[in-house]
């Protein structure tokens, strides 16, 4: 998983399997996961400016859609109203290239008081979560793993149709640094193929399970060969009621990427997916942040 510093594109390192065992990982049976401690962040270097994205998924919701959410909808889900996100920047701060080394990012360089919510794996498929997202219009980015979603690919289509993109998270969720180069390529390319076929758009972002191997040349090479053009980590991870922070002051920074999981009562000590997500939104609202759409700040290669 990921931890890094504010206000700029950063690299995260999720190193050893020992850390993974200690801290747990996304997609594990333990549900609410702790992100592995990262090495000091190195700035990612997304390069010069391709134009309009061919790889972005379904159309984004209207700008400021969250501001149109009626008070009754927030009350229904017991979530304090969040301020609407500002208009998406015309000049996206992260610009990806068609070839070469892919950047590793855990935050977006912005002065806007926004954060980005990402949800991993796809194990829990709670119909009430789709209803919640339809009501509250919170943008999310989904990093889906085929082994978790293959029993119900259709569940994620309404979320995608609402403007939430589907990105690559491997076929089987291994700790990538423990696998050969060939296996790493199979994991990334296999998920890329499945997600493109099932959802009609090729993912342009990749998240390694547990954040493991994110900064290794072997994994970077596999990602390059399979199609995604950035590795996305995170700054905070949502537990059941609270977030785990990388920063000692336990505060969000503008542009932070937040990790959550598709989880249900079995892994959340009896709490539902919608209850956990409501807690996440409450933590964001308490610190005065809005939730923006990650795709609106990252420009895929043209």
């Amino acid at each position: 998983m990921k931890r890094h510093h504010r206000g700029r594109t950063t690299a995260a390192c999720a190193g050893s399997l020992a850390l993974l065992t200690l801290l747990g990982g996304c997609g594990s049976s333990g549900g609410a996961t702790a992100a592995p401690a990262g090495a000091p962040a190195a700035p990612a270097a997304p390069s010069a400016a391709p134009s309009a994205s061919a790889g972005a998924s379904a159309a984004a919701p209207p700008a400021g859609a969250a501001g149109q959410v009626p008070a009754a909808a927030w009350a229904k889900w017991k979530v304090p109203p969040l301020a609407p996100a500002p208009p998406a920047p015309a000049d996206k701060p992260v610009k990806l290239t068609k070839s070469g080394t892919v950047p590793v990012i855990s935050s977006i360089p912005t002065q806007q008081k926004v954060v980005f919510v990402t949800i991993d794996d796809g194990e829990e498929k709670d119909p009430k979560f789709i209803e919640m997202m339809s009501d509250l219009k919170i943008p999310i980015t989904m990093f889906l793993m085929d082994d978790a979603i293959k029993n119900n690919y259709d569940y994620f289509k309404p979320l995608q149709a609402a403007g939430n993109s589907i990105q690559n998270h491997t076929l089987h969720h291994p700790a990538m640094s423990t696998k050969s180069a060939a296996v790493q390529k199979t994991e990334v390319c296999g998920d890329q193929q499945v997600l493109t076929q099932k959802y009609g758009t090729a993912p342009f972002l990749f998240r390694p399970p547990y954040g493991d191997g994110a900064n290794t040349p072997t994994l970077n090479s596999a990602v390059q060969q399979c199609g995604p053009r950035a590795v996305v980590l995170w700054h905070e991870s949502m537990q059941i009621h609270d977030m785990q922070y990388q920063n000692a002051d336990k505060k969000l920074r503008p542009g932070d990427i937040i990790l959550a999981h598709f989880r249900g009562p079995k892994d959340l000590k009896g709490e539902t997916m919608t209850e956990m997500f409501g807690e996440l939104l409450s933590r964001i609202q308490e610190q005065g942040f809005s939730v923006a759409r990650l795709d609106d700040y990252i420009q895929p290669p043209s």
Side-chain angles (χ1 to χ4, degrees):
M1 307 201 166
K2 323 128 207 177
R3 317 242 169 314
H4 306 12
H5 297 319
R6 71 173 290 186
R8 67 172 107 85
T9 310
T10 56
C13 131
S16 68
L17 197 51
L19 271 178
L20 306 180
T21 309
L22 245 164
L23 296 172
C26 70
S28 68
S29 59
T33 65
S47 42
S51 45
S53 132
S57 65
Q68 301 164 10
V69 175
W74 297 106
K76 171 182 174 180
W77 298 103
K78 301 178 181 178
V79 176
L82 272 71
D91 183 18
K92 296 185 181 183
V94 176
K95 298 175 176 67
L96 305 180
T97 56
K98 286 184 178 181
S99 60
T101 302
V102 301
V104 181
I105 64 177
S106 60
S107 66
I108 299 296
T110 180
Q111 297 304 310
Q112 296 175 335
K113 205 168 182 185
V114 296
V115 293
F116 306 94
V117 174
T118 63
I119 310 183
D120 278 12
D121 64 51
E123 287 187 5
E124 180 70 13
K125 302 169 186 69
D126 185 351
K128 298 294 286 184
F129 181 68
I130 294 177
E131 180 184 345
M132 181 185 201
M133 299 303 289
S134 176
D135 287 348
L136 301 185
K137 299 177 173 60
I138 299 295
I140 59 173
T141 301
M142 297 172 280
F143 288 85
L144 300 183
M145 182 255 296
D146 184 53
D147 207 35
I149 66 173
K150 63 187 179 184
N151 62 347
N152 189 357
Y153 291 116
D154 286 348
Y155 172 84
F156 303 94
K157 290 180 179 179
L159 296 170
Q160 182 192 32
N164 301 302
S165 70
I166 291 173
Q167 307 295 346
N168 191 319
H169 194 45
T170 73
L171 286 171
H172 305 104
H173 209 272
M176 297 293 268
S177 68
T178 69
K179 303 300 180 183
S180 68
V183 170
Q184 291 188 43
K185 182 179 176 182
T186 296
E187 286 288 335
V188 182
C189 288
D191 204 47
Q192 189 81 356
Q193 181 178 1
V194 169
L195 297 179
T196 302
Q197 178 184 6
K198 296 296 182 181
Y199 301 106
T201 303
F204 68 99
L205 304 174
F206 171 73
R207 172 170 285 162
Y210 320 102
D212 182 58
N215 292 305
T216 64
T218 302
L219 181 56
N220 203 286
S221 176
V223 174
Q224 292 177 52
Q225 293 176 73
C226 297
R229 291 306 306 156
V231 173
V232 178
L233 300 182
W234 62 90
H235 255 291
E236 292 82 26
S237 62
M238 184 61 192
Q239 308 305 301
I240 298 175
H241 298 289
D242 278 302
M243 282 195 284
Q244 182 180 65
Y245 296 83
Q246 293 183 31
N247 298 304
D249 62 5
K250 296 188 176 181
K251 290 183 179 179
L252 298 170
R253 267 61 171 177
D256 277 0
I257 295 171
I258 299 172
L259 167 70
H261 291 84
F262 285 94
R263 290 289 186 268
K266 176 175 68 74
D267 294 313
L268 298 178
K269 299 182 178 178
E271 190 158 307
T272 64
M273 175 83 184
T274 57
E275 289 170 333
M276 179 274 290
F277 198 77
E279 296 273 8
L280 168 59
L281 297 181
S282 295
R283 303 292 83 76
I284 293 170
Q285 189 272 348
E286 287 167 2
Q287 297 192 43
F289 281 80
S290 301
V291 179
R293 185 175 182 264
L294 186 61
D295 299 47
D296 289 341
Y297 290 72
I298 300 178
Q299 183 169 292
S302 58

